[in-house]
Amino acid sequence: THLAALGALDTAGLHLQGDVTVAATVGEEDGGLGALSTVLRGYRADAALITEPTRLALVTAQGGSLVFRLTVPGRAAHGALRDRGVSALEKFLPLHKELLAMERERNDAMDHPLYAGLSNKMPINVGVVRAGTWASTVPETLVAEGRLGFAPGEEIDEIQALTEARIAAAAARDPWLRNHPPTIEWFGGQFASAEVSADAPICTALGDAHEALAGTPVAIEGVPYGADMRHFIRFGGMPCVMYGAGDGNVCHAPDEFIPIDDLLTAAKTLAILLATWCGVAEAQVR
Amino acid sequence: THLAALGALDTAGLHLQGDVTVAATVGEEDGGLGALSTVLRGYRADAALITEPTRLALVTAQGGSLVFRLTVPGRAAHGALRDRGVSALEKFLPLHKELLAMERERNDAMDHPLYAGLSNKMPINVGVVRAGTWASTVPETLVAEGRLGFAPGEEIDEIQALTEARIAAAAARDPWLRNHPPTIEWFGGQFASAEVSADAPICTALGDAHEALAGTPVAIEGVPYGADMRHFIRFGGMPCVMYGAGDGNVCHAPDEFIPIDDLLTAAKTLAILLATWCGVAEAQVR
């Protein structure tokens, strides 16, 4: 989107009076080492814009997310005598229920206005489950890997402590798990949450550019997913927002797509934004 | 145990007046192709004895068992937008509950006297669960593999039909599963159930041998697991019972073991059984 916008400005003979740095970063899905590296190498700007698929809404707040691995112990036995064993699958069920309850309660308690439109503001997704080795043996171990979302303003260590306390409390209610406690590991990407004020200059400028093109005010939203915003805001000290074509709702799913019309709209909005944000050399405007 | 008994008779100078065939068969755990092959190759006897670990009880009935694979469909989505997806794990939960309910109801309804002492007469063990590919993606598929026990007198095809009907009924109660039905495959070992009358000659003879040695009557039991009995009974037309050292409750589990004393007792009982069943040459008795 950035390159299309810059290309359009160039084709139109417009020369920006400020520097625009486009960073094509890797690793966003698993922690954002590319964006972090960009910041650590010293790249700074008056504002940063990420073209995540926001359905052409201006995103000024992003939730954080953590990836966890829950290991639940059982005890193997012959399937025909399964009462002699302890099924790690069955022992996982109250812990899974606890995660769902935690998700529901936190959603009910969250009152951030930018998240009001979301059905699930801080999703806890159990994405992987692996248990047992053979149909006729009681499964001795279950490993569940999941993704846990949290709100702008919440910090990674407090969410980890809360989750560990919930799992420990659920385990304490079960006679087997009380004596054979499940373990939680935090692995993979750790996404802090981040937010910029909706009246920051980049927000106003992007809203104006969107409205100039679309004729209607831009929607301002928060998103429930972790993204690279936080690296620019928290480690780079730059205001950063997200605005882009495509719908996150079809991402990571079969047949994911971005409508070409939306892509063109996003590129045009960016071109207008860049022209007004940086200014253009008067003499070269056609 | 058989070889120890025959060795003891030989050492004692006793010559049996009948033929004893010892078949060391493979594959008992996964359907018993070794025992079936023994029968299909024409081996026949007046009775067959299997030395499964029965804790020195005479087992005259064995449950059947089937291995199944349940595949539950979901729909992938980004974990942060998980309400847009359908978790195959969450859709598995009502099916798992149905299997547990089926197990409980069938146990409550079963009134076979040889099974009265068992806490779980027809166990349904979900031994393997595999779901999802990544922590932050809603799991699109769950595969559960399990082992399903059934009672003497029940037949494989009726149990398969019952299980399929229960799973279909549970699926019909869920809007997603109604339109995306789970599938059941029957794979691996299929163990028919089998039973011999407790007053069959081999039962009486084994009971007498046990009592001659132990001084107390042998316990007569049914077992909830599939074993090779059925091949000899159903395909070979031979009465077959089980009697052996060791406790099935510690099989397929960490630190499985057989007490040496029990092994010696079982071998002695077999020696007495063989001597009385076959008869011994008078002149050669020391």
Side-chain angles (χ1 to χ4, degrees), chain A residues 81-82 103 125 129 131 135 248-249, chain B residues 81-82 103 125 129 131 135 248:
Chain A
L81 303 160
R82 78 181 196 88
E103 178 192 60
N125 178 67
V129 174
N249 285 324
Chain B
L81 303 160
R82 79 179 197 91
E103 178 192 60
N125 179 67
V129 174

Side-chain angles (χ1 to χ4, degrees), chain A:
Chain A
T1 316
H2 288 89
L3 297 179
L6 289 167
L9 290 169
D10 194 48
T11 301
L14 295 172
H15 292 264
L16 299 177
Q17 293 188 300
D19 292 331
V20 176
T21 304
V22 178
T25 57
V26 298
E28 192 271 344
E29 291 290 349
D30 207 31
L33 79 168
L36 179 61
S37 167
T38 302
V39 168
L40 293 180
R41 287 174 192 201
Y43 289 94
R44 292 292 183 278
D46 296 327
L49 172 67
I50 297 174
T51 52
E52 282 272 334
T54 70
R55 306 184 323 284
L56 305 178
L58 168 60
V59 169
T60 60
Q62 62 155 90
S65 79
L66 294 170
V67 181
F68 62 88
R69 181 181 295 119
L70 185 62
T71 303
V72 185
R75 188 175 56 213
H78 191 303
L81 303 160
R82 78 181 196 88
D83 291 12
R84 290 299 183 114
V86 176
S87 165
L89 167 65
E90 290 179 29
K91 291 303 167 188
F92 168 64
L93 299 181
L95 304 180
H96 180 242
K97 203 168 167 183
E98 184 72 14
L99 290 172
L100 294 180
M102 177 177 158
E103 178 192 60
R104 191 172 56 247
E105 289 163 25
R106 283 169 49 76
N107 264 283
D108 290 348
M110 186 188 183
D111 59 1
H112 194 300
L114 292 182
Y115 287 73
L118 289 173
S119 64
N120 197 338
K121 301 159 190 175
M122 293 179 287
I124 302 179
N125 178 67
V126 176
V128 173
V129 174
R130 298 276 180 271
T133 55
W134 195 38
S136 191
T137 298
V138 173
E140 183 154 276
T141 304
L142 180 144
V143 175
E145 293 178 353
R147 178 266 184 212
L148 190 154
F150 57 95
E154 291 184 315
E155 296 297 336
I156 288 175
D157 54 357
E158 71 192 43
I159 291 301
Q160 290 177 333
L162 171 68
T163 309
E164 288 165 13
R166 296 285 301 234
I167 292 294
R173 292 192 291 271
D174 180 278
W176 167 264
L177 291 175
R178 195 181 305 141
N179 295 317
H180 303 83
T183 56
I184 299 188
E185 297 163 78
W186 303 96
F187 72 107
Q190 299 198 346
F191 296 77
S193 58
E195 185 166 11
V196 293
S197 168
D199 54 15
I202 184 65
C203 298
T204 311
L206 196 141
D208 290 347
H210 176 92
E211 192 163 349
L213 188 74
T216 52
V218 74
I220 303 179
E221 297 180 358
V223 292
Y225 51 83
D228 279 348
M229 268 179 78
R230 70 196 197 284
H231 293 306
F232 298 104
I233 295 174
R234 295 173 71 121
F235 304 114
M238 297 173 258
C240 176
V241 296
M242 306 199 290
Y243 174 91
D247 186 348
N249 285 324
V250 299
C251 292
H252 295 217
D255 305 322
E256 63 180 347
F257 67 96
I258 293 180
I260 292 172
D261 281 352
D262 284 5
L263 194 61
L264 295 175
T265 302
K268 288 175 190 167
T269 302
L270 254 64
I272 297 171
L273 171 68
L274 293 174
T276 52
W277 184 270
C278 298
V280 290
E282 287 286 351
Q284 292 167 310
V285 177
R286 284 196 285 212

